[in-house]
Amino acid sequence: MGRVMVGVAVGLAAVACAVAAVAVGQRMRSRGNWKRVARVLKEVEEGCETSVGRLRQVVDAMAVEMHAGLASEGGSKLKMLLTYVHNLPNGTEKGTYYALDLGGTNFRVLRVHLHGQQSSVLEHEVERQPIPQNLMTSTSEDLFDFIASSLKEFIEKEGDGSELSPDRRRELGFTFSFPVKQMSVSSGILLKWTKGFSIVDLVGIDVPACLQEALTRKGLDVRVAALVNDTVGTLALGHYHDSDTVASVIIGTGTNACYLERVDAIIKCQGLPTTSGYMVVNMEWGNFWSSHLPRTSYDIDLDSESPNPNDQGFEKMISGMYLGDIVRRVILRMSLESDMLGPISSKLSMPFMLRTPMMAAMHEDDSPDLREVARILKGILEVNKSDTISFVLKKSVKSNNHSLCLACAVSDSRCSFKVKKSCGEGV
């Protein structure tokens, strides 16, 4: 009996040792996995960091490029395009006008009534439609026929309540948010496409003329009276409400800026007469680049795999079209470094599978267990252990003392290009 008990004791001891060995091994592997994932997160945060001093270097580099772009065509990565907009609205304008906005994956048509002071754009007079994916790479005729048809349907809904005089032709302002070399306030040649568009036959062509032809084909008595970039349109609206407004910035699908410049400072257009002595300059700063920008390995990979490598560098670092995919690339790297997140799904390896709105939703998740983060990772990227990554992301804390969703690591630091809030300093 004694020998049996000893045997059982020895057996139990052996099993206990084996279990302990497994537990220790699992703990060591878990600790190693955690360290590798934490290292990836730390690298992201450090790679995106922009101190005030570094931001000032970026500002100085951009100022140099701005001066070069104002001096000559092709002298800078910033095109500093002339808009031929010499005067901005001041609130005294009257009448009914139409506008068409094509700037990304959606376009809008609207009708606005100006009454001389504080115009109103009624919600039911604004319509927004997505651009079908196939039209973004089709032909100029297909694209503008689609837009003209939508505008026709919009106009036909206005009924008898329109304030437009029967003998007056409708005038349309066309907001076209792509690099254009303007020849006048109502004509401009497309220089190149951005934001996923690639309609080859429109490059080098007068864009408003193509739209005008489509309107005629659809039987619309509408004149394209003005061509502006979305930044110029934003500046015009801002100046309409506040005459001190002299610059505007767009941070959406893409990014750009424009501002009111003295004509005598625009060397490349010397001798061009203006009534005000000023002209709005479209910077096209999405193409800005400087070695002072905090470019990470994820930015480099995204750029090299994009349809336009080595182009629109600044835009690819901060705009809505690309931020979500940078986050996806970081999560993929974490999955490759560790098995904490489970098997790598095919969706996690698909470019642009994680869109920026989803990233923003993760950013805003302040629940104790980051439920929204887990839901998006599981539903969109098929990360099976989404609860694990939520825990991992929650464990990391940024210097400004809020929980670090991976989206925060990218978007918060990248947003410091616009405004640096730390230490109360601004650039």
Side-chain angles (χ1 to χ4, degrees), residues 38-250:
R39 184 168 61 248
V40 172
L41 287 171
K42 188 66 175 177
E43 288 173 357
V44 171
E45 190 173 2
E46 291 177 349
C48 291
E49 182 59 33
T50 49
S51 64
V52 172
R54 190 170 192 173
L55 286 174
R56 294 192 186 282
Q57 291 176 317
V58 173
V59 169
D60 292 341
M62 184 173 285
V64 170
E65 292 290 327
M66 289 173 67
H67 287 298
L70 291 174
S72 63
E73 295 289 353
S76 166
K77 281 188 172 296
L78 299 181
K79 294 187 180 296
M80 306 301 287
L81 299 173
L82 308 182
T83 65
Y84 294 86
V85 176
H86 307 140
N87 296 287
L88 292 167
N90 56 24
T92 62
E93 293 79 10
K94 295 182 180 181
T96 298
Y97 299 90
Y98 295 80
L100 191 154
D101 176 17
L102 175 61
T105 54
N106 297 286
F107 80 93
R108 288 179 289 267
V109 291
L110 64 91
R111 179 171 51 249
V112 57
H113 308 293
L114 304 179
H115 303 293
Q117 49 181 242
Q118 293 190 351
S119 68
S120 61
V121 182
L122 304 179
E123 282 302 313
H124 71 272
E125 293 185 324
V126 181
E127 286 190 3
R128 175 175 178 169
Q129 289 195 44
I131 298 289
Q133 192 74 29
N134 65 300
L135 293 185
M136 296 173 67
T137 55
S138 183
T139 66
S140 57
E141 184 172 328
D142 289 341
L143 175 66
F144 285 121
D145 277 354
F146 173 76
I147 291 172
S149 295
S150 299
L151 179 61
K152 184 176 183 179
E153 292 176 5
F154 178 77
I155 290 176
E156 289 175 347
K157 294 177 183 177
E158 67 186 13
D160 298 330
S162 172
E163 297 182 13
L164 191 67
S165 173
D167 60 348
R168 178 173 169 238
R169 190 180 189 185
R170 291 180 174 86
E171 293 194 332
L172 174 74
F174 185 22
T175 300
F176 186 72
S177 307
F178 300 92
V180 168
K181 181 178 180 180
Q182 290 204 220
M183 314 307 294
S184 70
V185 74
S186 61
S187 66
I189 295 172
L190 175 64
L191 298 177
K192 66 176 182 179
W193 288 105
T194 58
K195 295 175 280 193
F197 280 78
S198 182
I199 302 175
V200 179
D201 72 328
L202 192 56
V203 176
I205 303 299
D206 187 0
V207 179
C210 290
L211 174 60
Q212 189 68 67
E213 291 171 3
L215 296 175
T216 301
R217 284 195 296 271
K218 297 300 178 182
L220 284 172
D221 186 22
V222 177
R223 182 177 76 93
V224 182
L227 172 70
V228 296
N229 187 273
D230 58 348
T231 51
V232 180
T234 302
L235 175 58
L237 180 61
H239 195 273
Y240 183 89
H241 292 294
D242 183 351
S243 60
D244 289 333
T245 305
V246 295
S248 68
V249 174
I250 296 291

Side-chain angles (χ1 to χ4, degrees), residues 25-44 298 330-341 392 396:
Q26 288 178 338
R27 185 172 181 180
M28 293 298 291
R29 284 194 298 275
S30 177
R31 182 177 298 175
N33 283 335
W34 161 249
K35 287 183 177 180
R36 286 192 291 272
V37 170
R39 184 168 61 248
V40 172
L41 287 171
K42 188 66 175 177
E43 288 173 357
V44 171
Y298 308 102
V330 178
I331 297 174
L332 177 59
R333 167 77 183 282
M334 291 166 59
S335 297
L336 293 172
E337 291 281 333
S338 166
D339 61 2
M340 289 181 67
L341 310 182
V392 169
S396 299

Side-chain angles (χ1 to χ4, degrees), residues 50-53 55-56 416 418-427:
T50 49
S51 64
V52 172
L55 286 174
R56 294 192 186 282
S416 66
K418 298 170 288 195
V419 179
K420 188 69 179 181
K421 296 181 179 178
S422 62
C423 305
E425 296 185 74
V427 176

Side-chain angles (χ1 to χ4, degrees), residues 201-371:
D201 72 328
L202 192 56
V203 176
I205 303 299
D206 187 0
V207 179
C210 290
L211 174 60
Q212 189 68 67
E213 291 171 3
L215 296 175
T216 301
R217 284 195 296 271
K218 297 300 178 182
L220 284 172
D221 186 22
V222 177
R223 182 177 76 93
V224 182
L227 172 70
V228 296
N229 187 273
D230 58 348
T231 51
V232 180
T234 302
L235 175 58
L237 180 61
H239 195 273
Y240 183 89
H241 292 294
D242 183 351
S243 60
D244 289 333
T245 305
V246 295
S248 68
V249 174
I250 296 291
I251 301 176
T253 302
T255 183
N256 193 17
C258 74
Y259 70 103
L260 197 61
E261 178 63 274
R262 299 191 325 274
V263 171
D264 59 12
I266 310 175
I267 300 174
K268 63 184 179 182
C269 75
Q270 288 298 313
L272 185 68
T274 69
T275 57
S276 66
Y278 290 87
M279 182 184 291
V280 176
V281 173
N282 170 18
M283 292 177 62
E284 287 297 330
W285 79 359
N287 200 44
F288 171 67
W289 178 249
S290 166
S291 59
H292 299 299
L293 291 172
R295 197 183 195 203
T296 68
S297 61
Y298 308 102
D299 297 302
I300 295 171
D301 292 343
L302 183 149
D303 178 52
S304 65
E305 296 169 18
S306 69
N308 56 339
N310 300 315
D311 199 15
Q312 297 296 109
F314 190 49
E315 181 171 88
K316 288 173 181 174
M317 294 180 73
I318 69 173
S319 72
M321 184 169 181
Y322 302 99
L323 280 180
D325 200 57
I326 291 176
V327 171
R328 179 196 63 82
R329 289 169 183 272
V330 178
I331 297 174
L332 177 59
R333 167 77 183 282
M334 291 166 59
S335 297
L336 293 172
E337 291 281 333
S338 166
D339 61 2
M340 289 181 67
L341 310 182
I344 299 176
S345 71
S346 59
K347 288 189 176 180
L348 185 54
S349 300
M350 293 175 62
F352 296 98
M353 195 63 199
L354 181 65
R355 296 175 58 250
T356 299
M358 295 296 97
M359 186 202 78
M362 290 197 295
H363 191 169
E364 296 172 359
D365 184 4
D366 57 1
S367 60
D369 54 355
L370 297 178
R371 290 188 302 275

